[in-house]
Amino acid sequence: MAVKWTGGHSSPILCLNASQEGLVASGAEGGDLMAWGEDGTPLGHTRFQGADDVTSILFSPSCPTKLYASHGETISLLDVRSLKGSLDHFHVNEEEINCLSLNETENLLASADDSGAIKILDLENKKVSRSLKRHSNICSSVAFRPQRPQSLVSCGLDMQVMLWNLQKARPVWITNLQEDEAEELESPQSPGQLLNPALAHSVSVASCGNIFSCGAEDGTQ
């Protein structure tokens, strides 16, 4: 049975994340961020200065009260028990951030942005350890691979999916979804059928670290 949670945002919600203890955080347009109890009770609210959209939020698995949020070109670290002020903030991306991902050891945070770049933030030293630049358009999603803290997968609006090894700071594998789509178009299709380009919007990695899926605008995955 679906339950509707109300009493929070007044603008469109752009991202959600849940902690291992059942807390939920939601980010919205205009810099709006909310924390919720597992029963849907609003626990806290903040609005970031500058009113940039909150595009990605991420709970720390090892510390469920710690929350990372991207808004504009900035990443803020917050305590979900008191959202009024940031514990820390980082400005490492040059354009709007679209996605955040923590590696399994929680010492690296990846942030993918509109320039196509992925910044790897060393959380212990609080500085960028790698800048990955291979996407030719917006990098829409990035995900570290479980059990492999130095490896991640990214995808973007250049229709490319890339596997990275941070020790080399370059892709070890690239696939172009447009080329895959062209092969599929060789098969018969309905007259007048139009297909969207295979712009990649989301990537997710299985817990084994060896299997991942990517959602594209042409309806494939």
Side-chain angles (χ1 to χ4, degrees), residues 123-199:
L123 294 173
E124 295 175 356
N125 298 315
K126 298 185 179 182
K127 64 179 184 180
V128 174
S129 62
R130 286 279 189 268
S131 183
L132 310 178
K133 297 182 179 180
R134 190 62 182 267
H135 286 284
S136 59
N137 204 325
I138 291 170
C139 184
S140 50
S141 186
V142 62
F144 275 103
R145 299 171 66 197
Q147 305 179 45
R148 293 162 182 79
Q150 293 289 319
S151 181
L152 56 82
V153 182
S154 66
C155 67
L157 302 195
D158 56 0
M159 297 178 277
Q160 297 195 93
V161 182
M162 302 184 187
L163 173 65
W164 300 84
N165 184 331
L166 296 184
Q167 295 174 335
K168 298 179 180 179
R170 64 176 184 269
V172 296
W173 175 85
I174 300 175
T175 189
N176 189 312
L177 299 180
Q178 188 175 31
E179 294 176 357
D180 295 340
E181 182 183 62
E183 293 178 2
E184 293 178 3
L185 286 177
E186 293 178 0
S187 60
Q189 63 184 83
S190 302
Q193 182 181 4
L194 298 176
L195 297 177
N196 290 328
L199 308 180

Side-chain angles (χ1 to χ4, degrees), residues 20-21 59-66 68 102 104-106:
Q20 293 182 349
E21 294 187 350
F59 278 100
S60 161
S62 65
C63 183
T65 60
K66 185 186 293 185
Y68 296 91
L102 270 172
E104 203 165 51
T105 54
E106 293 191 46

Side-chain angles (χ1 to χ4, degrees), residues 9-25:
H9 298 285
S10 58
S11 55
I13 296 171
L14 303 177
C15 54
L16 293 165
N17 196 244
S19 75
Q20 293 182 349
E21 294 187 350
L23 297 176
V24 175

Side-chain angles (χ1 to χ4, degrees), residues 25-38:
S26 55
E29 292 181 357
D32 224 28
L33 187 146
M34 287 283 303
W36 309 79
E38 59 183 334

